[in-house]
Amino acid sequence: TQALWFTIPLWLRRWELDAGIEPWAKDFGTYYFLWIAIGHAVQYLWITSFYARSGPTWRGRTRYFAKAILAGAAIWALPAIVFAPALLGRLPFEAGLSVLVAATVNIHHFVLDGAIWKLRDGRVARVLLRARESPAPDADRPPRRPPRRGLGGRFRVGLSASVWVTGAVCLAIMFGAKWEREVGVRQALAAGDLARVRRAMDHLAWLGRESPKLHMALGRALERQQREGLALAEYEQSLALHPGAPAWFAIGALHLKRQRWAPAAEAFEGGVALDPERGGAHYALGLALLELHQPERARDAFARATALNPERKIHRTMLERAEAAIRSGSDP
């Protein structure tokens, strides 16, 4: 697996060879890391199940793998729901929450790695894998009666069942989120079924996966259908979830199209504050400011647009127009 992950890919890239296999392609992207994740999972399951078989609670490989899958699903799904913007968090899943969850999972990863490698030391292994059973009773002592299934026993049974149910629900959440993004969003957008997209986004919000990018995608689709009021609402919802320059620019463009100069200028100012390298946004800001009779600010916006896109003659033309308005002291 080390050769598959590191040695072979780097060797192929060093000699500029294309193996014709997706994970080893020159631009392998996420497929390469998916390969690593699968290989790593196989390693962990192999090692942990090898030692788990020697324990007193072993009940078969199928049960063990099921527990591993459900535990993994809970680790990835529960924090994303609890710390979603609708509950305790502020960041949407794709705008930082997923990275935080991954970082937390990696802490567990490092702890487990440390334990696994220490198993090679016989003394450490004896401590880590020591039996948890009570010592056998002395011969002269009467055997202990099995504990009655009272409140404590029922609690343990109930707790075990709730853990299994929680894991199963989290696994369903993960698959449900994938299904809604693929079928409910991507395929529905391609088919123009925006009502299905809206339902899918509502479902994703319930699953802790509400997405500013999906609101932007739905807003653009609505705008193409000339449903600009609904599109504006989607852009504003994207902005409410997580401030982003694309949402500001889309809102500004809609207001500019409707000749609402003040909200257009406000939106473009918010956008260029987050993404100051967009020459077109500075140009649009200058247009709105000219209409608001603010030629000095419009000149600054057009100057920035000209510096970023010197090949655009219209930027230079509008800059000269703003400067002429300032010199004359009259409206452009």
Side-chain angles (χ1 to χ4, degrees):
T1 55
Q2 294 295 317
L4 291 175
W5 301 348
F6 303 114
T7 309
I8 295 176
L10 292 177
W11 185 82
L12 292 173
R13 296 190 67 171
R14 170 65 180 82
W15 295 101
E16 298 183 355
L17 299 174
D18 191 348
I21 303 175
E22 189 86 38
W24 289 343
K26 292 182 179 179
D27 185 19
F28 44 75
T30 57
Y31 288 99
Y32 177 69
F33 295 100
L34 181 60
W35 186 320
I36 292 178
I38 293 173
H40 218 22
V42 171
Q43 281 187 325
Y44 273 109
L45 289 174
W46 169 48
I47 295 173
T48 54
S49 62
F50 174 82
Y51 286 103
R53 281 198 303 270
S54 62
T57 60
W58 178 258
R59 297 185 183 179
R61 185 178 288 108
T62 301
R63 182 183 176 89
Y64 182 78
F65 288 168
K67 289 168 62 177
I69 292 173
L70 297 183
I75 289 170
W76 283 103
L78 278 180
I81 295 175
V82 174
F83 294 101
L87 292 179
L88 301 181
R90 293 182 299 171
L91 286 177
F93 187 76
E94 66 184 24
L97 180 57
S98 62
V99 178
L100 179 60
V101 174
T104 306
V105 171
N106 270 330
I107 295 175
H108 167 268
H109 178 124
F110 298 140
V111 172
L112 185 56
D113 262 345
I116 286 175
W117 292 117
K118 289 181 177 69
L119 294 175
R120 296 179 298 174
D121 186 315
R123 295 170 299 174
V124 175
R126 283 192 294 273
V127 173
L128 292 177
L129 302 175
R130 66 184 181 274
R132 297 183 180 180
E133 296 178 329
S134 301
D138 295 334
D140 56 349
R141 292 183 182 178
R144 298 177 59 187
R145 293 181 297 177
R148 295 179 180 177
R149 177 160 294 189
L151 181 61
R154 288 195 297 270
F155 174 77
R156 285 192 295 272
V157 172
L159 180 62
S160 177
S162 65
V163 170
W164 279 92
V165 171
T166 300
V169 170
C170 290
L171 186 64
I173 288 173
M174 294 183 66
F175 278 102
K178 293 289 185 183
W179 175 268
E180 289 295 348
R181 288 189 70 97
E182 174 62 24
V183 177
V185 176
R186 192 185 69 83
Q187 295 183 18
L189 274 176
D193 187 358
L194 302 190
R196 176 67 179 92
V197 176
R198 163 49 57 196
R199 291 198 304 273
M201 291 172 60
D202 290 340
H203 297 162
L204 288 169
W206 300 339
L207 301 177
R209 299 293 197 276
E210 191 171 9
S211 166
K213 292 182 180 178
L214 294 185
H215 283 287
M216 288 296 299
L218 179 56
R220 293 191 181 101
L222 289 166
E223 195 172 353
R224 288 193 294 269
Q225 294 183 358
Q226 307 300 318
R227 300 160 71 181
E228 296 175 354
L230 294 176
L232 181 60
E234 292 299 330
Y235 296 148
E236 290 174 344
Q237 181 61 26
S238 174
L239 203 60
L241 280 174
H242 187 67
W248 278 122
F249 294 150
I251 292 171
L254 273 180
H255 287 307
L256 200 66
K257 183 178 179 180
R258 295 182 173 187
Q259 298 185 355
R260 297 174 178 173
W261 312 120
E266 181 182 356
F268 283 116
E269 285 177 337
V272 298
L274 296 174
D275 184 5
E277 303 303 315
R278 290 281 294 271
H282 287 281
Y283 171 74
L285 173 60
L287 292 178
L289 292 171
L290 271 182
E291 295 292 342
L292 290 171
H293 314 297
Q294 300 180 33
E296 293 86 358
R297 296 179 63 198
R299 176 199 57 194
D300 295 339
F302 289 134
R304 181 60 177 161
T306 302
L308 290 170
N309 301 119
E311 72 283 356
R312 299 292 299 274
K313 294 182 180 180
I314 187 63
H315 292 182
R316 171 64 63 181
T317 299
M318 295 308 297
L319 174 60
E320 294 171 353
R321 183 177 175 183
E323 291 173 340
I326 294 171
R327 288 192 300 269
S328 65
S330 61
D331 291 340

